Amino acid sequence: MSYESSIPFRSDRVHAAAVYCSDGRFEEQFDEFLRQLLGTRLCDRLAVPGGPASLGLRSPVPEESRGIEVQLEFLVRAHDLRQVILIAHVPCAFYRERLQVPDDAQHERQVADLREAARLVRALGSLQVDAWAARVVDEGVQFHPVEV
């Protein structure tokens, strides 16, 4: 069985990538946010457990962290990226399970991790790096900028 998408292929690029957690519960909100922020749906995406925390030196599995950095390095080079958007969210199972950070303490840790991830991303080249913290509020998701 095969399937053909009804959405036409677009070959243009916006030279941006987003790094965020692979938690599917946030997928639609992340897509909407990126569309509003960039004015398009077109951007490279690196969705991994923990998102930007997986780039940091505090990752519980350093070899996983290095693998994600290598993937981002490839995207920066091959797709001529100029901007990287880092998004963390609360609650996050990666922080709770892998990093042992309870939900009520995650935001503070994520801000520190976003800053560290931004430092690592900037080392890849002359890139604009934007960081955002998403949080569930009532039944919605709010995004707040994080100074990096």
Side-chain angles (χ1 to χ4, degrees), residues 64-113:
E64 281 181 10
S65 177
R66 183 62 192 139
I68 294 162
E69 290 173 34
V70 168
Q71 291 176 38
L72 185 57
E73 287 170 4
F74 168 78
L75 292 174
V76 167
R77 182 182 45 77
H79 294 172
D80 190 27
L81 297 184
R82 298 179 194 132
Q83 179 182 18
V84 175
I85 301 148
L86 306 171
I87 307 171
H89 71 84
V90 173
C92 182
F94 182 86
Y95 276 84
R96 186 182 329 98
E97 309 263 331
R98 299 288 292 276
L99 302 180
Q100 301 296 302
V101 179
D103 290 356
D104 61 355
Q106 288 179 9
H107 177 75
E108 184 176 315
R109 171 70 184 268
Q110 287 176 344
V111 168
D113 290 348

Side-chain angles (χ1 to χ4, degrees), residues 25-42:
R25 299 174 301 164
F26 290 85
E27 178 183 351
E28 292 177 304
Q29 292 86 359
F30 286 172
D31 282 350
E32 177 189 51
F33 172 72
L34 290 169
R35 190 170 48 252
Q36 293 297 317
L37 183 70
L38 298 171
T40 181
R41 293 184 73 114
L42 301 177

Side-chain angles (χ1 to χ4, degrees), residues 18 20 25 31 33 42 48 52 67 79 89 91 100 116 121 123 135 141 143 145 147:
Y20 54 81
R25 299 174 301 164
D31 282 350
F33 172 72
L42 301 177
V48 295
H79 294 172
H89 71 84
Q100 301 296 302
E116 175 65 14
V121 170
R135 116 179 5 248
V141 177
F143 293 82
E147 188 67 38

